[in-house]
Amino acid sequence: MTPPTLTLPTLTLPASPLAAMFGSAAMEALFTPEAGLQAMLDVEAALARAEAKCGIIPKRAAAPIARACDAARYDLAALGQAARLAGNLAIPMVKALTAEVARRDSQAARYVHWGATSQDIIDTGLLLQLRQALLLIEVDLAGLDRALAGLARRHKKTLMAGRTWLQQAAPIPFGLKLGGWLGAIRRDRARLRQIKPRLLVLQFGGAVGSLASLGDAGLKVSAALAKELQLGLPPQPWHGQRDRMVEIAGWLGLLTGNLAKMARDISLLMQTELGEVYEPAGAGKGGSSTMPHKRNPVGCAAVLAAHAQVPGLLAGLYGGMALEHERGLGGWQAEWQSLPMLCKLTAGALGQMREIAEGLEVDTRRMRRNLDITDGLIMAEAVSLGLARFIGKAAAHGIVEAASKQAVAQRRGLREVLAENPAVTRHLDKSALDRLFDPARYTGMSEAFIRRSLADKG
């Protein structure tokens, strides 16, 4: 059965002008104050229905309570001021809900929030928002996966320089780099499939996690409430154990980190001196306020900026796990802002990277030209290993290293220098050197790795 979709109230607060850069409209709407209030009210409505079905409250009380669970009926600013004194939003919300129900049905008002505690409502409401947030993220993850897979297939033979320590190292197909990015995304998708059943479970324990307020009907009501909300039913309430929330936060951090890795690579490949790939062009995109010629990696910048904010948010959440006894002080409350912010940053970064991947411009001729800028030095390992078959690895390495230094000093090609060395030509003739200096012949298992990356689902 498809989980119910949150009914989001109409926005009444202006969106931040930075939201479009670092977030997404759908995710911003999901985590407005009004949406958070509505999620908690949805839990209260479901609780009333569940308890009515279980005979805990009169059946006729459920409908009046549910009708009053509409965020538009409440003064959010007033609730916020009251929450400052109460310690959380649920306490004044329950008072306001009770008063709203009482205006129409004083008897039904007696059964608002029956047997629950504030944290039950807040945690479960946040879970409803997180469920919708993950659905949004999964859509863009699937889109990014498709885009990267298409690029990897298309460029499985496109030669470029493989780089280590920011220096040219040996030739690779561009598809190998893309396969690495794709593999990370598919592992993220697999991790999320594993995490969701652990995360999306009901929080309902009453004051200290025993549900003593419901007598011997606690398990029955829990099961009914979980069914109403289409959440899993955990072995016990988890007020003091925050590993579920921190696990999903860690996953959001991992995903944003993998996106940042792609953004770093792409932005480096966009440098003028390389010019091998480009973010998709568009009117007004990537320009400079003063330099008309600029084509800046603005999407990559947004991804990297989002990633830069994530570690601090994660540190706070991990630090908040050391809660006191059955319900803690301070650490749990830190989740209320940090988790929504992580969702927004991740969604923004993911949306940017999906757009980049779907429209990535690849200059294959520039990639090939850049392979030649070292005048053969990028093939030094290939030549060294080819010569090593005759004279041993250490001796061959020494000869090619010396020749490389000579080539740099004399501004000559490495092949030209080696062709003058009898210690080399004694074993490697012109055709052998031609083969060893052909970058297409020195890509190893790259194509096999690309095929395996495309076949692997994480």
Side-chain angles (χ1 to χ4, degrees), residues 14-48:
S16 163
L18 295 178
M21 180 175 180
F22 292 115
S24 76
M27 195 66 78
E28 287 290 331
L30 188 54
F31 285 107
T32 61
E34 296 94 336
L37 175 62
Q38 186 60 59
M40 290 193 292
L41 288 167
D42 287 346
V43 179
E44 291 285 1
L47 177 61

Side-chain angles (χ1 to χ4, degrees), residues 148 174 177 181 259-271 277-279 297 300 353 356-357 360:
L148 292 175
F174 184 39
K177 185 186 292 289
W181 299 347
L259 297 171
K261 155 64 178 169
M262 297 179 214
R264 185 73 72 193
D265 282 352
I266 292 169
S267 58
L268 288 172
L269 293 173
M270 274 187 71
Q271 287 183 287
V277 304
Y278 293 94
E279 290 186 5
C300 291
M353 190 49 63
I356 291 169
L360 191 69

